[in-house]
């Protein structure tokens, strides 16, 4: 059970600080909207579409962060749906992190670490084929 708590904390940090916190920190820039501040200017992504559509990236990031936090809370409370949701979140993050470089590196580190911890706790020392 201790490993699930660690994985849950990693997911909370990832969801609250990186995803939701990142979105909330950019709201003042978007609200000012006086044309002088370009939200996409300090960011560099592998896919130019992301840089050109930062407002959509903010909404998507907030959605991912919220779902990640919900999964982490379910995992913390020892709910099977929390484990499944968290595993799905980590796998999706692993698939998408390549498109989000350089920020995807930290996404990958947090998601992959949480996934490894959850899987090692769930499967333990079980062998593929019992002899």
């Amino acid at each position: 059970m201790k490993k699930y708590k660690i994985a849950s904390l990693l997911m909370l940090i990832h969801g609250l600080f990186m995803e939701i916190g990142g979105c909330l920190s950019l709201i003042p820039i978007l609200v000012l909207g006086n044309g002088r501040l370009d939200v996409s200017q300090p960011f560099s992504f592998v896919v130019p579409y992301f840089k050109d559509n930062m407002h959509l990236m903010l909404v998507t990031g907030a959605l991912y962060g919220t779902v990640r936090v919900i999964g982490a809370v379910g995992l913390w409370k020892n709910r099977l749906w929390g484990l499944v949701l968290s595993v799905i979140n980590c796998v999706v993050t692993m698939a998408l992190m390549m498109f989000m470089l350089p920020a995807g590196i930290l996404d990958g580190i947090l998601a992959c670490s949480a996934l490894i911890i959850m899987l090692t706790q769930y499967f333990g020392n079980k062998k593929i084929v019992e002899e």
Side-chain angles (χ1 to χ4, degrees), residues 42-99:
F43 298 102
S44 168
F45 294 116
V46 173
V47 181
Y49 177 81
F50 294 150
K51 185 177 180 182
D52 296 338
N53 295 290
M54 277 304 291
H55 59 288
L56 296 175
M57 291 287 294
L58 293 175
V59 173
T60 306
L63 180 63
Y64 273 111
T66 302
V67 173
R68 190 178 307 276
V69 168
I70 291 169
V73 169
L75 186 62
W76 184 270
K77 291 185 173 191
N78 196 27
R79 301 293 189 262
L80 188 57
W81 62 264
L83 174 65
V84 172
L85 183 58
S86 296
V87 167
I88 291 169
N89 243 324
C90 289
V91 170
V92 169
T93 300
M94 288 173 57
L96 295 178
M97 69 183 193
M98 295 306 294
F99 301 108

Side-chain angles (χ1 to χ4, degrees), residues 8-25 61-62 64-70 72-73 110:
S8 177
L9 285 175
L10 284 174
M11 299 273 298
L12 279 171
I13 290 168
H14 192 179
L16 287 174
F17 295 115
M18 279 196 63
E19 304 283 354
I20 297 173
C23 294
L24 292 177
S25 67
Y64 273 111
T66 302
V67 173
R68 190 178 307 276
V69 168
I70 291 169
V73 169
L110 291 169

